């Protein structure tokens, strides 16, 4: 029958928790590590769910895909944005290549697969699905009825409003959702003649954002002894049990990959980037926003004829310049563009929080990405090197806040995810450092003895571990 490949994706699973802190509490993860190759997996820039999973499966960086986050500029106007769903991904992902090669593909919950992608097999779409009660979310369409009969009702692709103070509801919904996902995964593994299986569980990410401060003693809002103090560890132990159920279904010819797209870290606060830009004279308002009146910048009255820059909120900041001849009312002349970027970089990297400089890092897009398709930001800003998020709203009355303008959120994304590769006749190499998220696509293709396109990035993990064969 030849080799099969199974990929278990855990969005935001943190390598420090799996490899170090809780290794003895996670026997199925540890068993894979003991016989496999494992280590931290450097994410892409930015280390964000959208676009990271599509980068992982295509071997292309965010600039090559032209996807810079969950929402992206649709054009050079000031308010045109779109959500990057499956229709935004123009490059082949491994499930496309494997489908054309005649492999039976089963995929479930991979971010960037709604609307449901067409594969040679079965697909269940991701957390971007608006509403599984009314929207198509499977390929083929009739798979939906099979799924709903199996779980006895509507299928969850995500948790409702995971940025909320209603933590008990969030916790219950994460477990309900995850149990559904693994029940469906087991059913598909048992009922389909699959060659390639991949699922991604989004619950890890939601758990971290909702409960990280009670786990992380270094978190500025940590509360020792809180009743939520052990919920993340308990969830990882539950995932370990679910992983064990899947491993029972994989024979010796199955190569198993456990991967995450990024890790997690404490979120110390938010930098109010547009407040700072107003204060520094780069963003000019026709009417000031009164402190305490939190207002999305798109709802503020901006004087574009005098504005040189504005920023987007999120786990990182995309800073955009108002360029003459590019934006409708652009005023930054081409001759001044680089000098303005240099000036902003110097000021932002010196930016202070409540206790002094926070260690912000600013990148030019051409330094991060091999190409800049669609509309890239002019600067990429990691406030506090991702210890602080970006708040795009106005009305905070200062340039930093401990409150998140999109709802309670305890964690930002760390740049290292994780990978474990075991089985499929591959000898284990133990811990290997220096592995990258972009290595996963060529790894999967080589496991199937398929040609790796010369123009994709990354190198197969089989080529990194000593003695690992490239394929068979």
């Amino acid at each position: 029958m030849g080799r099969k490949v199974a990929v278990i994706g855990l969005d935001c699973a943190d390598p420090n928790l799996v490899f170090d802190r809780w290794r003895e509490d996670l026997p199925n993860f540890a068993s894979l590590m003991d016989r496999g190759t494992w280590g931290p997996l450097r994410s892409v820039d930015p280390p964000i769910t959208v676009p990271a999973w599509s980068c992982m499966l295509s071997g292309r960086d965010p600039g090559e895909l032209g996807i810079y986050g969950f929402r992206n500029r649709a054009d050079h106007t000031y308010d045109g944005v779109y959500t990057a769903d499956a229709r935004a991904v123009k490059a082949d992902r491994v499930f496309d290549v494997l489908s054309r090669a005649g492999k039976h593909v089963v995929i479930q919950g991979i971010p960037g697969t709604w609307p449901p992608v067409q594969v040679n097999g079965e697909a269940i779409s991701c957390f971007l699905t608006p509403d599984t009660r009314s929207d198509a979310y499977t390929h083929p369409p009739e798979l939906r009825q099979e799924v709903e009969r199996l779980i006895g009702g509507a299928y969850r692709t995500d948790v409702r409003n995971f940025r909320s103070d209603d933590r008990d509801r969030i916790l219950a919904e994460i477990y309900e959702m995850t149990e559904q996902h693994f029940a469906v995964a087991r059913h598909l593994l048992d009922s389909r003649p699959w060659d390639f299986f991949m699922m991604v569980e989004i619950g890890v990410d939601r758990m971290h954002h909702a409960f990280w401060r009670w786990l992380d003693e270094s978190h500025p809002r940590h509360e020792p002894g809180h009743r939520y103090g052990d919920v993340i560890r308990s969830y990882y132990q539950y995932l370990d049990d679910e992983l064990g159920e899947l491993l029972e279904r994989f024979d010796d010819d199955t190569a198993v990959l456990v991967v995450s797209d990024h890790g997690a870290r404490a979120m110390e606060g938010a930098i109010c980037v547009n407040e700072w830009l107003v204060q520094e004279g780069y963003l000019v308002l026709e009417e000031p926003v009164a402190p305490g009146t939190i207002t999305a910048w798109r709802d503020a009255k901006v004087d574009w004829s005098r504005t040189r820059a504005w920023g987007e909120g999120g786990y990182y900041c995309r800073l955009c310049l108002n360029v003459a001849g590019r934006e409708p009312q652009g005023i930054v002349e081409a001759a001044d563009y680089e000098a303005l970027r240099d000036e902003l970089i110097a000021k932002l990297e010196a930016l202070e929080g409540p206790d002094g400089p926070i260690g912000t890092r600013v990148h030019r897009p051409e330094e991060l990405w091999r190409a800049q398709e669609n509309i890239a930001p002019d600067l990429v800003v990691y406030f506090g090197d991702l210890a602080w998020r970006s708040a795009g709203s106005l009305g905070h009355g200062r340039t930093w806040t401990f409150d998140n303008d999109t709802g309670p959120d305890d964690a930002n994304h760390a740049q290292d995810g994780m990978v474990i590769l075991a089985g499929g006749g591959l000898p284990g190499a133990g811990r290997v450092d220096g592995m990258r998220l972009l290595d996963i696509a060529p790894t999967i293709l080589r496991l199937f003895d398929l040609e790796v396109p010369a123009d994709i990035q990354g190198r197969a993990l089989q080529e990194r571990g000593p003695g690992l064969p490239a394929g068979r």
Side-chain angles (χ1 to χ4, degrees):
M1 295 294 292
R3 177 183 282 144
K4 296 182 177 183
V5 176
V7 182
I8 295 90
L10 302 172
D11 193 284
C12 197
D14 190 77
N16 298 314
L17 300 181
V18 175
F19 297 157
D20 301 311
R21 184 167 177 171
W22 296 331
R23 181 168 178 167
E24 293 184 359
D25 298 324
L26 306 173
N28 291 302
F29 283 97
S31 174
L32 288 174
M33 292 162 64
D34 289 343
R35 57 192 174 92
T37 300
W38 56 275
L41 190 71
R42 186 69 169 186
S43 190
V44 290
D45 289 292
I48 306 293
T49 295
V50 178
W53 289 101
S54 292
C55 294
M56 180 189 292
L57 295 178
S58 67
R60 316 280 179 177
D61 67 37
E64 291 175 292
L65 295 182
I67 300 172
Y68 304 101
F70 180 72
R71 291 184 178 86
N72 299 266
R73 293 186 75 182
D75 49 42
H76 282 109
T77 63
Y78 304 113
D79 54 4
V81 295
Y82 70 95
T83 298
D85 58 25
R87 291 166 290 196
V89 185
K90 306 303 182 185
D92 276 344
R93 287 174 279 185
V94 291
F95 50 75
D96 300 309
V97 178
L98 295 174
S99 291
R100 289 198 300 270
K103 304 296 183 182
H104 190 115
V105 168
V106 175
I107 60 174
Q108 176 186 357
I110 302 173
T113 58
W114 186 88
V117 295
Q118 310 294 298
V119 297
N120 182 41
E122 291 76 32
I124 298 175
S125 63
C126 64
F127 78 102
L128 295 171
T129 308
D131 187 345
T132 58
R133 295 168 298 179
S134 57
D135 294 286
Y137 65 92
T138 67
H139 168 81
E142 57 268 23
L143 176 60
R144 173 179 181 168
Q145 286 69 43
E146 184 178 344
V147 167
E148 292 174 358
R149 284 195 302 270
L150 176 72
I151 62 176
Y155 181 78
R156 285 190 181 275
T157 58
D158 201 357
V159 175
R160 295 174 300 147
N161 187 19
F162 65 91
R163 295 188 184 96
S164 163
D165 286 320
D166 191 359
R167 301 306 210 286
D168 287 344
R169 174 194 57 82
I170 294 169
L171 186 62
E173 288 190 11
I174 289 172
Y175 272 96
E176 178 185 347
M177 174 185 70
T178 308
E179 289 169 1
Q180 283 188 358
H181 292 174
F182 279 95
V184 172
R186 291 192 298 271
H187 171 73
L188 292 172
L189 288 169
D190 291 343
S191 61
R192 265 62 178 185
W194 60 276
D195 299 298
F196 176 72
F197 167 80
M198 181 172 179
M199 69 175 295
V200 174
E201 178 50 61
I202 196 73
V204 194
D205 181 89
R206 300 335 190 199
M207 186 71 76
H208 289 168
H209 287 299
F211 297 100
W212 191 263
R213 67 169 160 172
W214 292 289
L215 165 72
D216 186 349
E217 295 86 353
S218 70
H219 198 289
R221 291 179 295 285
H222 180 67
E223 298 176 55
H226 196 279
R227 68 188 181 95
Y228 292 143
D230 206 38
V231 296
I232 294 180
R233 183 175 71 91
S234 296
Y235 182 70
Y236 272 74
Q237 290 177 302
Y238 164 69
L239 289 174
D240 187 79
D241 290 340
E242 291 284 15
L243 174 61
E245 293 274 350
L246 298 185
L247 293 178
E248 292 177 1
R249 289 162 165 78
F250 304 147
D251 61 21
D252 292 340
D253 283 323
T254 303
V256 179
L257 282 143
V258 181
V259 294
S260 67
D261 56 331
H262 54 76
R265 61 177 300 168
M267 185 189 296
E268 297 184 19
I271 297 299
C272 309
V273 61
N274 287 315
E275 294 273 20
W276 181 83
L277 290 167
V278 169
Q279 175 183 293
E280 296 293 318
Y282 297 106
L283 174 60
V284 180
L285 303 179
E286 293 178 356
E287 297 178 7
V289 177
T293 309
I294 306 303
T295 303
W297 81 261
R298 285 186 173 83
D299 295 329
K301 294 184 178 180
V302 177
D303 183 348
W304 293 110
S305 69
R306 295 191 292 157
T307 288
R308 290 181 288 165
W310 75 97
E312 295 282 356
Y315 292 120
Y316 81 108
C317 173
R318 283 164 284 178
L319 200 71
C320 303
L321 303 188
N322 194 22
V323 177
R326 190 182 75 176
E327 275 72 24
Q329 300 179 57
I331 62 169
V332 177
E333 297 295 337
D336 301 323
Y337 180 81
E338 290 300 341
L340 179 56
R341 288 208 301 178
D342 291 343
E343 179 181 312
L344 285 163
I345 290 170
K347 287 186 176 182
L348 286 165
E349 291 190 340
L351 186 66
E352 295 190 356
D355 301 314
I358 60 174
T360 293
R361 293 167 52 223
V362 186
H363 300 279
R364 298 170 180 83
E366 62 269 24
E367 298 168 348
L368 296 179
W369 306 312
R370 197 159 64 174
Q372 294 89 53
E373 298 297 331
N374 298 331
I375 302 177
D378 294 290
L379 290 173
V380 172
V381 186
Y382 293 163
F383 288 120
D385 198 13
L386 295 174
W388 295 69
R389 69 171 284 135
S390 173
S393 52
L394 295 155
H396 297 275
R398 59 186 181 186
T399 59
W400 55 267
T401 178
F402 292 129
D403 297 318
N404 183 16
D405 60 354
T406 60
D409 196 336
D410 289 350
N412 206 340
H413 295 174
Q415 288 185 308
D416 281 343
M418 56 166 278
V419 61
I420 308 171
L421 169 61
L426 301 177
R431 180 175 175 124
V432 174
D433 290 306
M435 295 182 286
R436 300 190 302 152
L437 180 142
L438 294 172
D439 295 335
I440 300 302
T443 296
I444 294 170
L445 295 176
R446 291 291 292 274
L447 286 169
F448 282 106
D449 286 330
L450 293 174
E451 182 179 354
V452 177
D455 61 341
I456 72 169
Q457 299 188 54
R459 183 158 60 98
L461 301 184
Q462 300 92 311
E463 299 173 0
R464 292 183 178 273
L468 287 179
R472 74 176 187 194

